[in-house]
Amino acid sequence: VLKRIGDIVDYKFESIKLKIGVKTCWYCCDFWVLAKDGVTEFHETKGQFAREDSMVKLKSAALQYPHFRFFLVRKDGKRFSV
């Protein structure tokens, strides 16, 4: 819907992994999004609960890659929050 109405240019599901650790620690985002201003965004989606390791990976990626935008999207019942 966001692509159709022009809010974003493009998106892909689970298409990019960012290295966040020394050897085998990676962050794989749920959605890579190209915003209409040309900036890459990573959208992580979670339900009501999120495992601690996934939150640590998201925060680590955001700190190590400050030139990208990172968002946590949560679904609580029928509502979404960013």
Side-chain angles (χ1 to χ4, degrees), residues 13-32:
F13 177 69
E14 291 186 346
S15 63
I16 294 179
K17 287 172 50 172
L18 300 175
K19 188 171 184 176
I20 57 172
V22 177
K23 291 189 178 188
T24 59
C25 191
W26 295 84
Y27 167 70
C28 181
C29 67
D30 290 327
F31 292 94
W32 162 83

Side-chain angles (χ1 to χ4, degrees), residues 9 21 28 30 39 43 50-51 53 56-57 63 74 78:
V9 176
C28 181
D30 290 327
V39 175
H43 294 222
R51 292 191 341 227
D53 70 318
V56 169
K57 286 181 177 182
L63 288 170
R74 292 199 143 180
K78 294 183 178 183

Side-chain angles (χ1 to χ4, degrees), residues 37-54:
D37 63 359
V39 175
T40 289
E41 299 179 350
F42 295 104
H43 294 222
E44 186 69 26
T45 57
K46 298 293 177 201
Q48 194 171 5
F49 302 101
R51 292 191 341 227
E52 184 178 352
D53 70 318
S54 65

Side-chain angles (χ1 to χ4, degrees), residues 50-74:
R51 292 191 341 227
E52 184 178 352
D53 70 318
S54 65
M55 294 295 93
V56 169
K57 286 181 177 182
L58 174 61
K59 290 176 185 177
S60 294
L63 288 170
Q64 292 181 47
Y65 297 93
H67 43 286
F68 299 136
R69 293 184 196 131
F70 291 83
F71 296 94
L72 174 61
V73 180
R74 292 199 143 180

